Amino acid sequence: MHVVKLPFNILKGKDDPSPMLKVKSTGKTVFRVLASIFVAVSLARSASAQGTSFDRLTPAFPTAGERTAADVASWVTVGTAVALDLRAAWRSGDRKHQLHLAGARIFATWTLASLAKGLAHRERPDGSNNLSFYSMHTAMAFQTLGGPRVSVALPLSVGTGGLRVAAGKHWLTDVLVGAGVGALTSRIR
């Protein structure tokens, strides 16, 4: 094990002399997170503007009302997953450190997804914009897998991804890549 220092001080006061977050990690974890960055950027560059035949295996709901309901439900499921993860961090013995790690996971997940969306410009299935690749909702839900019990976190995460496809906001491959990246960033513990 070695210590990785990340510049992260959202919860630290201005007078705190240690502006770096210390994350105990194995070399494998650091490699996996860096590899996920490389894979996400590579996939973002190669993602086509339209979905593949594989993407069309799960069609969106037919009516606008059903798609809107799925969209709202996906916000609820990802919010619940993140809230449960933060609750577990709050209740831990080392509250401050665990909340810093939770913030680092959220920041890393958001940054990777934003970078990929900016590079790919993949159109959403519903045609609303070109920020489809990859699903940030799914990645955020999956980054919670090490926190709350798996029996709660995994169904919320999978449900988030399914609802994003059903809402017509993402192709199936967007959700699968988001799940993979989120699972990798969940290793920041």
Side-chain angles (χ1 to χ4, degrees):
M1 283 229 188
H2 64 283
V3 175
V4 177
K5 293 185 177 181
L6 301 173
F8 191 82
N9 46 344
I10 282 180
L11 297 177
K12 294 184 177 229
K14 293 182 181 179
D15 298 332
D16 192 335
S18 58
M20 303 299 269
L21 169 67
K22 294 178 184 174
V23 180
K24 289 184 181 176
S25 176
T26 64
K28 288 181 182 179
T29 302
V30 172
F31 175 76
R32 287 176 181 155
V33 171
L34 292 175
S36 71
I37 294 169
F38 175 76
V39 169
V41 170
S42 298
L43 288 173
R45 289 181 174 225
S46 64
S48 66
Q50 300 299 317
T52 65
S53 58
F54 180 71
D55 284 321
R56 299 185 200 301
L57 291 176
T58 308
F61 285 128
T63 67
E66 290 171 330
R67 287 191 301 274
T68 300
D71 189 27
V72 169
S74 72
W75 281 93
V76 171
T77 56
V78 72
T80 302
V82 171
L84 288 172
D85 190 40
L86 290 172
R87 179 177 173 237
W90 181 263
R91 290 184 167 188
S92 71
D94 188 9
R95 177 182 298 171
K96 185 176 180 181
H97 182 69
Q98 290 303 316
L99 288 172
H100 277 116
L101 290 175
R105 282 191 304 277
I106 290 168
F107 180 75
T109 304
W110 177 83
T111 302
L112 288 172
S114 297
L115 178 65
K117 287 174 181 290
L119 291 172
H121 300 290
R122 188 178 193 192
E123 187 176 354
R124 292 186 186 272
D126 66 359
S128 60
N129 61 34
N130 63 350
L131 299 174
S132 183
F133 186 83
Y134 57 86
S135 174
M136 190 182 304
H137 281 76
T138 307
M140 282 292 180
F142 271 88
Q143 65 88 22
T144 68
L145 286 182
R149 295 184 323 176
V150 173
S151 62
V152 175
L154 189 58
L156 285 171
S157 300
V158 171
T160 299
L163 288 166
R164 296 307 287 168
V165 172
K169 296 295 183 183
H170 291 286
W171 301 103
L172 183 58
T173 52
D174 300 336
V175 168
L176 294 175
V177 172
V181 173
L184 286 173
T185 58
S186 75
R187 304 282 307 208
I188 302 173
R189 296 231 171 240

